[in-house]
Amino acid sequence: QLRANVSNAGLPGDFREVLQQRLGELERQLLRKVAELEDEKSLLHNETSAHRQKTESTLNALLQRVTELERGNSAFKSPDAFKVSLPLRTNYLYGKIKKTLPELYAFTICLWLRSSASPGIGTPFSYAVPGQANEIVLIEWGNNPIELLINDKVAQLPLFVSDGKWHHICVTWTTRDGMWEAFQDGEKLGTGENLAPWHPIKPGGVLILGQEQDTVGGRFDATQAFVGELSQFNIWDRVLRAQEIVNIANCSTNMPGNIIPWVDNNVDVFGGASKWPVETCEER
């Protein structure tokens, strides 16, 4: 439009030609600028699309991982193929079982453990309920033998596990006459009675791996802490037969606890305790 106005205007020829040249240059500059802006717009669109795709890909990966966790999938070879490592004698390394116990009139508790701690391996596990911190405890403290506490009553067990090797430990108990048994690597090494007889195990407490509880879920004492590794901690609501315990210890059967099974998503670790892949039977 400016060109048309210049052409029709009553201006000297030379001046009109110069003006038209300037206008032509201005037009070319404007066209170049428009082209640059179009290129920048295209690049920005591509970058935005790529960023959006990357963001969506990351979100999808996170959602997939959340779904896997919700379904109980494990980072280990199988959900039970792991151990809890407690390498230091402190009052802040421990594992916690998410599930709690119902009221029990009998139980069998089995686990694999490895420790060379001295004196005493400490507390492989403890179960505390309101009003009774020592509802069920397995402990080897100082130069004392391994002890099983139920409702704060004590039985000394003839178990010897502080040699740095994996051992399979089982303890059974029934409220009837307070009968108990102790097994190491499938062999019954001790039995007795009158351990908290006629006392039902109280429900709704807290199960801790590696520490002795002075209050429910807390007040740990470093001198009573377990040092070593634990795996396959299982609890049944009955006294297992001796042959069943032999089969578990020699790895000829896999029998998860019907009350507390050893699975990855049921065990949390705290304070620097860690979970590692392990096949206890192969490692043994």
Side-chain angles (χ1 to χ4, degrees):
Q1 188 177 359
L2 283 170
R3 274 192 178 142
N5 291 341
V6 168
S7 298
N8 296 329
L11 296 170
D14 292 345
F15 184 72
R16 189 166 55 245
E17 186 178 347
V18 170
L19 192 55
Q20 284 180 338
Q21 288 176 355
R22 293 290 177 85
L23 287 171
E25 181 62 30
L26 180 60
E27 183 180 23
R28 286 190 292 274
Q29 290 178 10
L30 287 170
L31 288 172
R32 280 199 300 270
K33 190 63 178 176
V34 168
E36 289 175 5
L37 289 171
E38 288 290 345
D39 289 343
E40 288 181 8
K41 178 182 176 183
S42 178
L43 286 171
L44 186 61
H45 175 75
N46 292 338
E47 288 179 2
T48 303
S49 297
H51 181 70
R52 184 169 61 248
Q53 288 175 359
K54 185 177 180 181
T55 302
E56 289 177 354
S57 175
T58 302
L59 285 173
N60 287 335
L62 287 171
L63 287 171
Q64 184 177 355
R65 180 59 179 150
V66 169
T67 302
E68 288 175 357
L69 291 171
E70 288 175 344
R71 288 176 180 170
N73 288 353
S74 174
F76 305 111
K77 184 177 177 181
S78 62
D80 66 343
F82 72 99
K83 63 184 176 183
V84 170
S85 177
L86 302 154
L88 301 172
R89 196 181 290 279
T90 75
N91 62 354
Y92 54 81
L93 270 77
Y94 66 100
K96 182 178 180 181
I97 305 295
K98 293 181 184 178
K99 290 183 68 176
T100 187
L101 298 181
E103 187 171 60
L104 294 175
Y105 299 91
F107 66 71
T108 300
I109 301 176
C110 294
L111 69 154
W112 286 93
L113 61 79
R114 177 164 68 177
S115 178
S116 55
S118 180
I121 63 168
T123 309
F125 69 86
S126 63
Y127 176 66
V129 297
Q132 181 51 274
N134 295 325
E135 188 68 357
I136 311 175
V137 181
L138 186 69
I139 185 171
E140 184 183 52
W141 186 25
N143 294 310
N144 299 314
I146 291 181
E147 296 177 336
L148 175 64
L149 282 69
I150 296 180
N151 192 33
D152 218 19
K153 309 302 185 291
V154 182
Q156 294 187 340
L157 311 184
L159 306 178
F160 306 94
V161 295
S162 59
D163 58 1
K165 299 176 182 178
W166 279 109
H167 291 286
H168 187 257
I169 300 300
C170 285
V171 290
T172 77
W173 173 86
T174 175
T175 185
R176 183 174 181 176
D177 294 327
M179 294 285 298
W180 61 268
E181 300 169 309
F183 294 77
Q184 180 173 325
D185 300 324
E187 182 182 357
K188 185 192 290 188
L189 296 184
T191 185
E193 59 183 5
N194 204 34
L195 176 58
W198 314 110
H199 168 79
I201 300 299
K202 296 173 185 174
V206 174
L207 266 169
I208 295 291
L209 301 176
Q211 297 284 354
E212 193 273 336
Q213 305 170 66
D214 284 338
T215 60
V216 178
R219 275 187 55 191
F220 306 140
D221 181 345
T223 64
Q224 297 175 326
F226 175 81
V227 184
E229 297 172 326
L230 303 171
S231 188
Q232 296 296 326
F233 177 82
N234 289 281
I235 302 181
W236 296 261
D237 61 356
R238 63 184 178 89
V239 174
L240 295 189
R241 292 180 289 107
Q243 189 57 50
E244 290 177 306
I245 292 174
V246 169
N247 292 342
I248 296 170
N250 66 21
C251 302
S252 62
T253 187
N254 181 26
M255 198 169 79
N258 68 327
I259 297 300
I260 302 292
W262 181 254
V263 286
D264 177 23
N265 61 10
N266 190 39
V267 183
D268 286 333
V269 289
F270 300 90
S274 56
K275 291 194 279 189
W276 296 91
V278 69
E279 295 284 351
T280 44
C281 291
E282 293 176 11
E283 206 169 289
R284 185 188 177 199

